[in-house]
Amino acid sequence: HEQGTATFVAKSTFSMPLGRLPAVLPSAIRLSALALLVAIPAAAQATPSFFGEPDGPRIESLRNAAVAEVRKGRGGRSLAFQITLEDGTRGYFKPKQSFSAAHWYSEVAAYYLDRELGFGRVPPTSGRVLPWRELQRAAGNDDRVGELSIAPDGTIRGAFIWWIPEPLKRLRMGRNWERWVRVQRTLPITPYQRPVDYRSDLRGRPGIREASDPSRPLATEPDQEGRPAELSDLIVFDYLTQNVDRWGGDFTNLRTRGPGGPLIYLDNGAGFWLGEQRLGLMEARLKALQRFRRATVEAVRGLDVSAFAERLKTDPLAPVLRQKQLDGLRQRRQAVLDHVDAMVARFGEAAVLPW
């Protein structure tokens, strides 16, 4: 399985960015340091970074370093490649393909939007064009090769995502975890599940769904005090990007940077759809969310989609999004703000903006 975070405001705890913590510290201590930091979205990052570690050198390598080794990716429905570059940088290349939930441009746009919002939770990502011959041997006889969009000149474009070296742990939260991000604690049908399961629940079809399977334990307390705010941020981010593929599959797309570490935003390819810009499932996921981080609401309020479009132009594969997709993002930004205002009017500011 392939593998940001907001500006950190814990200077009273650490006097240096996490990326500058002494290299001699054991990885477990470094990950504990991550967990202690409070990630709060800020204004658009002037110097894009991932957990305080500047993106620049990693982006430069992802864009320009020569390929040294290629292996076929092991996880996910779509065909992708684990690549080691000659300078030692590792990345995950998601090529352009016909499989509908694997949009290379959504991975790229999600990265730039994350930095525009000041979250810093999406790993450094860049568009890149690679010769198919460098990937072909690793692909072998995989049936999914037929889904790839190889250009007439023998190249293929895609999203190249920096590989996070630490273990990525699934965040398994149990049934009814949704009450952590709601004022009203009950939710008759959760939209935070596979789209097919959600539709089946809405239609009253018999059967056991993963999200409500009685064999799964009930959620008790979150593993970290700040986890509910992180989950709220993620739901807002996925709504903005239209990422329909976050939930289900035993939380495979919900990962932390090490045990008990901060939540990171991976697998952003099932978003920025070219068709309908207000998807029913995503509207339900936003509507079910009733508690928000104040700084996140302000980050969304301050989001300038035109500035985001300019940021996208810096990518080697620009234009990344079409005007329709940018207009859709404007609509969804306003929908988030309207929903927050409606929740505050209904339940009060203290209940809706607790973080």
Side-chain angles (χ1 to χ4, degrees), residues 177-179 181-192 198 202 232 235-240 247 278-292 332 334-344 346-347 352:
W177 64 267
E178 296 91 342
R179 70 181 188 275
V181 295
R182 289 176 54 79
V183 179
Q184 297 171 302
R185 296 311 173 97
T186 59
L187 185 61
I189 298 177
T190 178
Y192 307 116
Y198 178 63
L202 286 179
S232 174
I235 293 167
V236 169
F237 185 73
D238 281 348
Y239 177 79
L240 293 172
W247 306 98
R278 298 282 296 275
L279 301 173
L281 173 62
M282 302 309 293
E283 298 300 314
R285 289 176 178 174
L286 176 63
K287 184 177 179 180
L289 180 63
Q290 296 178 332
R291 303 175 77 206
F292 302 83
R332 296 190 297 276
Q334 189 59 51
V336 170
L337 298 176
D338 290 347
H339 176 63
V340 172
D341 289 345
M343 291 296 97
V344 170
R346 183 177 178 183
F347 299 113
V352 174

Side-chain angles (χ1 to χ4, degrees), residues 9 15 30 50 56 89 129 134 136 138 148 195 227 230 242 245 254 263 272 277 303 305 339:
V9 291
S15 61
R30 290 173 62 85
F50 183 59
T89 300
V129 176
E134 294 187 349
Q136 190 170 11
L148 300 184
R227 194 70 78 198
E230 285 190 317
Q242 289 185 295
D245 193 31
L254 202 66
L263 196 61
F272 285 105
Q277 296 299 300
L303 174 62
V305 177
H339 176 63

Side-chain angles (χ1 to χ4, degrees), residues 73-340:
R74 293 179 297 174
R77 159 63 180 80
S78 58
L79 181 57
F81 300 90
Q82 298 178 29
I83 296 177
T84 302
L85 301 172
E86 287 189 351
D87 65 0
T89 300
R90 299 177 67 202
Y92 202 73
F93 185 71
K94 293 189 170 185
K96 180 180 179 181
Q97 54 197 281
S98 59
F99 177 54
S100 62
H103 305 151
W104 70 267
Y105 54 81
S106 183
E107 295 280 4
V108 173
Y111 162 71
Y112 287 104
L113 180 60
D114 171 273
R115 298 307 191 262
E116 192 66 31
L117 288 166
F119 286 1
R121 290 183 181 265
V122 175
T125 302
S126 178
R128 182 163 178 176
V129 176
L130 290 174
W132 169 240
R133 67 177 183 274
E134 294 187 349
L135 310 175
Q136 190 170 11
R137 182 176 179 180
N141 296 322
D142 195 298
D143 292 339
R144 296 170 294 177
V145 169
E147 298 175 345
L148 300 184
S149 300
I150 302 169
D153 65 357
T155 62
I156 188 164
R157 57 174 46 201
F160 205 4
I161 304 160
W162 181 68
W163 188 274
I164 300 170
E166 295 92 356
L168 302 183
K169 299 298 183 179
R170 298 189 195 207
L171 182 61
R172 293 184 170 99
M173 299 177 293
R175 288 180 290 133
N176 301 335
W177 64 267
E178 296 91 342
R179 70 181 188 275
W180 301 340
V181 295
R182 289 176 54 79
V183 179
Q184 297 171 302
R185 296 311 173 97
T186 59
L187 185 61
I189 298 177
T190 178
Y192 307 116
Q193 57 179 322
R194 285 191 179 108
V196 64
D197 288 349
Y198 178 63
R199 289 194 297 269
S200 294
D201 277 348
L202 286 179
R203 295 166 184 170
R205 292 176 178 169
I208 297 176
R209 325 282 183 233
E210 181 184 23
S212 55
D213 186 345
S215 69
R216 288 178 55 211
L218 284 168
T220 54
E221 295 300 314
D223 67 318
Q224 300 289 337
E225 182 180 358
R227 194 70 78 198
E230 285 190 317
L231 290 165
S232 174
D233 289 348
L234 177 62
I235 293 167
V236 169
F237 185 73
D238 281 348
Y239 177 79
L240 293 172
T241 65
Q242 289 185 295
N243 184 5
V244 302
D245 193 31
R246 180 68 61 194
W247 306 98
D250 194 23
F251 299 105
T252 188
N253 288 343
L254 202 66
R255 302 267 174 166
T256 64
R257 195 172 183 182
L263 196 61
I264 55 177
Y265 299 171
L266 290 174
D267 297 313
N268 299 299
F272 285 105
W273 297 83
L274 291 169
E276 178 60 48
Q277 296 299 300
R278 298 282 296 275
L279 301 173
L281 173 62
M282 302 309 293
E283 298 300 314
R285 289 176 178 174
L286 176 63
K287 184 177 179 180
L289 180 63
Q290 296 178 332
R291 303 175 77 206
F292 302 83
R293 198 196 302 261
R294 289 174 181 267
T296 299
V297 175
E298 290 309 307
V300 175
R301 196 180 308 279
L303 174 62
D304 184 337
V305 177
S306 296
F308 166 63
E310 290 299 312
R311 193 182 283 257
L312 282 178
K313 290 179 181 179
T314 66
D315 190 83
L317 298 189
V320 177
L321 298 180
R322 301 180 185 180
Q323 188 60 48
K324 179 179 181 179
Q325 294 164 306
L326 293 170
D327 291 342
L329 176 59
R330 287 188 176 91
Q331 295 174 28
R332 296 190 297 276
R333 169 193 169 273
Q334 189 59 51
V336 170
L337 298 176
D338 290 347
H339 176 63
V340 172

